[in-house]
Structures are given as structure tokens and as C-alpha cells.
Amino acid sequence: MGRDTSQDAVIVVPGIMGSTLQDTVTGARIWGLGVKSMADTWLGRDGMLPLHLTPDEQEGRFGRVRATGLLECPAWAPFLQGFEPYTDLVRGVGKAVAHPKAVLAFAYDWRLPVGVNAALLAEAARRHLSAWRAHPAHDRIRRLRADERPAQLIFVAHSMGGLVTRAALTRTPDLEPDTRAVVTLGTPFNGSVKAAVILNGHRGNGRRAARGPSALLRRRMQALATTLPGVHDLLPGFRCVDDSPEVHRLTPSDVQALGGDRELAARSQEFQQWMRLNGRSLPGHRAVVGVAQPTAQSLRLMEGVVHEQFFTFRTHSDGEVVRDAVGVPQRVDLTGDGTVYRDSGSLGGSAGAHLPLQHGPMARDSDVIRHVRNVITSPDEPLGPPMGESRIGLDVPDAVEAGAAWNMRLTGTDTHAGVICSVHDAETDRRIATPRIGWQDDTIAAQVTLPAPGLYRLRVESGGNAPVTQLVLAAEPDDRLRAPGNTAA
């Protein structure tokens, strides 16, 4: 029996930091390096400077950097933690279409504004659909279908890629009739508090305050992010600033106070307002939304320091905050995928699935890839409910000291029976340790020690359900990073 395939054209749109980048002047690859080179780049004093926007780029003169493809190896960044490669997703999509030429992996310079990349995606989508409709394999598969309709577009978009896709369809309305479906994976349609946390750098002093090598690495991420319109386009557009008893949206002045760029924040707000006024529902939209992971959903801004809050505020249908009898805003923890909180991950009225997954690994998850293939081959089949009953959340630091013990905390469960934790080399996926899980200070946790500097994948499995994973960077001990003559100091 042959496999079910679609006559449609599919475009895979990665998230922020999900495309490899090359400096067109030097020819050097500046993002999407191998695991060891990636770690060395973060730890080297000037390693991230090639990613900073230059004055020319800030004035809109682009071309110094070229996107060359989708990530094919694990990557890492402070705050955002791990980015898994898109290889499995692209391979899974390829099995659902009639020919490899039906699939376009759309790489883009994620440093730039969403609107700039949306224009490029719209042009690429039109070319891709025309080329696929002219391909001999298209006619062959089309004749096997009952309606014999010509191919339409299906967008499969992770994280920021969903914003780029929505903006492309909004600014190019003639693409909408040619679009059959859009599948978004962890897309922050209303932004993410995590973007404000990134722009605040190492200053945040909540329970996730930077310690050890994290402080140094977070300073470097903040210095980079301050120059990037793409990061500012991810700032939350919902009421998230807790100025009790009031709750308001971030203003450009707030963004400047916390460490971001006031002008980029203002441009981002103009873009978000344009999307609110002009943005339409996505055709055939299916949203995969990560849940059960501890996720910042609001913040307090005090003397330039962002204090993450792991709850949001209930709102009425008109957007006004729900208050109790004495006027105090009502709080609720909706969780999310560790980066995007639940209600930001979908558009009103769209079908979707809520799965207990972390943000970065979402596009690599086997259940997600199966859902995507079902949408491509079976347009009327819903994504379905969460897989199994497991709602385990994984709370880990983004960077730790090699050789030092630290705790990986589990959330969303009151028992560790049947839960298995393992540590793997991120590049080879070879298991290197199986930490023991137990109760520690009223939480379920496992003590982990990563043996040497490098990138590792933590995996937690429960009851045969799909594992929850996250990448963690192990760096040299803090005193060695700051030793005289060390380029990472």
C-alpha cells in the first residue's frame, strides 16, 4: 500500500535563530555553527559582534548578511536556551508530498524586522507555488485526486516564522486564496515576555537571576539583542506590566528603561498595531501550543530591572482586566512552552493542540511532525488533543558550570513514579547519565552534573508519552572564564 501524499506545495518557515547566516563580505558563517564552534563563539570576547546590526543595516541597507539554510545542528543562546535542528521536520514534510520539489525551506535573516522578511516570504511563496505547479510530478499527483484541483500553499511555521507568515499573507492578500493551511508551532502572536527579559540582560533578579557563567553570557545576548529589530518585534503586545493595581502594555519608554532600544520598540509597536488593524485569520490555521512548562507571562519593572512573573491577568472579552471585589487584578498561571505563554500561541477561533513541550525542541518533536503530516495529507483531520495524560514541565537554567552540581526541577506532577530523566550529548544524542529523581525542598527534582564544557540535551519521559527535552550549555567555571588573558572575560 502506497503512502498518502498531497499535491500541495509546502513552505517550512523557521523561528528566530533558526536560519544559518553568512557574512557576504568575509564569506564566514556567523550563525548555525557546529556545537563546539557555537560555544566558542559565545564565550569569545568578540564572537557575537558579526551578528550585531551595523549602522548601515540600522538604516535599512541590508545585504551584508545572507541566510543560507535552516539549522541542521543544535544551537544555543542565553534566555532562549536550545534550538533543535529542523532536519526531522523537513524530512517529515517531504514524506507527505509528491516530490521533494514541493517543499521549500525558507531561510531568512531573523535579525531583521518581521515586516522585511514577510515581503521576502511572500515573493518566495509565489515563485515556489508557480514552479511546483509547472513540475511534471504535480500533474501526476493531481490526476490521482478526486477533485483534481491544482496545488495550494501550506505554511509550516515555527515561533517567529508564524509572525513572518501572517505578515506575508496580510500584506499580500492575493496569496490567501492560494493558501490551503497554515500550521504554527509555538508562535507568539501577541509577543513574549521573554523578549523583555532578554533586553534586560543579566539585570533580572527574580528566581531566574543569572549566576556563574550565565551572567557573562546574558550580557552578550543583551548587547546583541539591543541592536536587533527582530527581537523587538517579539516584545509582548498584551497587558503584561504589573503596576499594581494597574496593568498596562509595555511602552517604548519602558523598553528603553529595561535596556532595549526606544526607536526599535516604537517601530515594533507600530507594526503590531498595523497587524491588529489589518491582520486576518490565517487560512486553515492549526496552532500547536506548548503548555505545562514554567513560562513568564507578566513582569514588574522596578528601577530598570525586569522581575518575571509566572502568571497573567484574567481579562474580559473587551480586554479589560478582571478584578475582585476590592479592585485587585485576578491572576492565573496559564503556563506555556517556557518562552511563549499559552494564550499568545494561538489566534482566536483557530483549531489547535496543546502539548506539554518546550519551545525550542517543538519543531523536532515526533508528535508535532505527525500532526503536520496529517494536515498536509488529510485537510479535514483535526490536530487532536494533547498526547496522553502527561503534563510534566521542565525547569532548567540556560547555562551552568561544568563539573558543578545543580538541580533540574519538574513541574506539573505530584509524583516521580515512572518518570525517567536522562542526559545526552546534544550533537550525538548519546546518553551520558541517568540522574536520580526525588523530592528536594518540596519539589520534584534531579541533581545533575555536566562533566565537561559543551551542549547537552536533558530528556524527561513519563508513562510512554513523548519526552520533554531542553538543551543546556555547560561552560568553564566562572573563575576560569574571568581569568587574565581569557578572551571570554
Side-chain angles (χ1 to χ4, degrees):
M1 181 180 296
R3 59 186 174 90
D4 192 16
T5 55
S6 169
Q7 74 266 46
D8 290 316
V10 182
I11 302 178
V12 178
V13 189
I16 188 170
M17 293 186 154
S19 301
T20 59
L21 302 180
Q22 180 186 46
D23 188 313
T24 60
V25 177
T26 66
R29 178 175 287 194
I30 58 176
W31 183 253
L33 309 165
V35 170
K36 185 180 186 306
S37 297
M38 178 273 305
D40 291 343
T41 297
W42 276 109
L43 294 170
R45 186 188 301 275
D46 299 329
M48 302 311 296
L49 286 181
L51 288 173
H52 288 229
L53 254 66
T54 64
D56 273 354
E57 290 173 315
Q58 291 170 356
E59 293 296 324
R61 293 185 287 275
F62 307 131
R64 178 184 70 88
V65 172
R66 180 172 68 93
T68 56
L70 275 54
L71 276 183
E72 295 183 345
C73 62
W76 178 91
F79 302 103
L80 295 171
Q81 297 181 294
F83 305 93
E84 295 284 9
Y86 290 93
T87 312
D88 290 350
L89 177 61
V90 173
R91 184 183 299 118
V93 166
K95 293 178 180 178
V97 296
H99 191 277
K101 290 293 186 182
V103 181
L104 170 66
F106 177 75
Y108 62 94
D109 185 351
W110 38 265
R111 306 172 312 135
L112 305 183
V114 165
V116 169
N117 288 313
L120 298 174
L121 175 59
E123 295 171 2
R126 179 56 67 199
R127 291 195 302 269
H128 179 55
L129 182 60
S130 297
W132 172 238
R133 284 178 172 176
H135 196 281
H138 170 258
D139 284 338
R140 288 197 297 270
I141 188 66
R142 178 183 174 187
R143 286 195 296 270
L144 298 176
R145 296 298 182 185
D147 58 3
E148 296 189 7
R149 66 169 176 83
Q152 292 177 282
L153 289 165
I154 298 175
F155 293 89
V156 179
H158 178 224
S159 188
M160 177 191 275
L163 302 181
V164 175
T165 299
R166 189 182 185 210
L169 290 168
T170 297
R171 68 180 298 148
T172 316
D174 66 329
L175 273 180
E176 186 171 329
D178 284 326
T179 301
R180 202 197 88 201
V182 178
V183 185
T184 56
L185 316 175
T187 290
F189 288 106
N190 289 310
S192 171
V193 170
K194 182 65 71 70
V197 176
I198 292 171
L199 292 169
N200 199 226
H202 68 291
R203 288 184 281 173
N205 65 351
R207 70 179 178 85
R208 294 172 180 264
R211 298 177 179 87
S214 284
L216 173 68
L217 296 167
R218 289 185 172 196
R219 282 196 296 272
R220 292 193 173 147
M221 182 65 179
Q222 191 269 344
L224 169 63
T226 301
T227 75
L228 302 186
V231 172
H232 289 76
D233 280 346
L234 298 176
L235 284 165
F238 55 93
R239 294 188 181 189
C240 67
V241 181
D242 185 0
D243 192 14
S244 186
E246 300 304 319
V247 183
H248 64 81
R249 292 182 173 88
L250 274 173
T251 67
S253 296
D254 290 333
V255 175
Q256 183 179 37
L258 63 85
D261 184 284
R262 182 190 181 103
E263 183 177 348
L264 291 180
R267 292 178 190 171
S268 175
Q269 284 198 352
E270 291 174 2
F271 171 75
Q272 290 178 351
Q273 183 177 18
W274 176 78
M275 286 299 300
R276 281 195 293 270
L277 293 173
N278 298 283
R280 309 172 187 181
S281 58
L282 293 169
H285 184 207
R286 314 293 182 87
V288 176
V289 180
V291 294
Q293 314 307 311
T295 305
Q297 300 154 62
S298 60
L299 61 90
R300 290 186 69 86
L301 184 57
M302 302 172 64
E303 298 181 349
V305 175
V306 170
H307 297 253
E308 299 172 81
Q309 298 184 152
F310 292 77
F311 57 81
T312 186
F313 301 94
R314 294 188 186 276
T315 57
H316 295 287
S317 58
D318 61 0
E320 289 300 312
V321 175
V322 177
R323 302 176 184 274
D324 64 15
V326 295
V328 176
Q330 292 189 11
R331 303 171 173 182
V332 58
D333 181 7
L334 298 180
T335 73
D337 62 18
T339 296
V340 180
Y341 100 98
R342 190 194 70 187
D343 282 5
S344 186
S346 60
L347 292 170
S350 61
H354 293 75
L355 303 176
L357 297 171
Q358 291 269 333
H359 184 78
M362 187 177 295
R364 187 174 180 260
D365 181 81
S366 59
D367 284 332
V368 171
I369 295 173
R370 183 159 51 249
H371 285 330
V372 169
R373 290 181 60 184
N374 284 343
V375 172
I376 295 171
T377 59
S378 307
D380 298 324
E381 184 174 330
L383 289 181
M387 298 292 100
E389 298 298 322
S390 173
R391 307 286 282 188
I392 286 180
L394 188 56
D395 189 12
V396 300
D398 48 11
V400 298
E401 288 188 5
W406 51 275
N407 285 338
M408 177 195 70
R409 189 170 69 95
L410 302 186
T411 63
T413 179
D414 56 7
T415 178
H416 54 82
V419 179
I420 300 173
C421 171
S422 55
V423 181
H424 302 249
D425 180 282
E427 198 164 22
T428 65
D429 209 32
R430 179 178 61 87
R431 180 182 297 204
I432 63 169
T434 306
R436 179 177 297 178
I437 301 175
W439 285 96
Q440 299 181 25
D441 299 326
D442 297 324
T443 64
I444 297 176
Q447 190 173 81
V448 181
T449 302
L450 301 179
L455 192 63
Y456 298 86
R457 181 178 295 110
L458 302 185
R459 188 193 314 266
V460 175
E461 301 174 78
S462 173
N465 293 285
V468 180
T469 66
Q470 186 54 277
L471 296 175
V472 177
L473 180 74
E476 294 278 5
D478 198 39
D479 57 346
R480 292 184 62 183
L481 283 176
R482 300 180 184 278
N486 191 314
T487 59

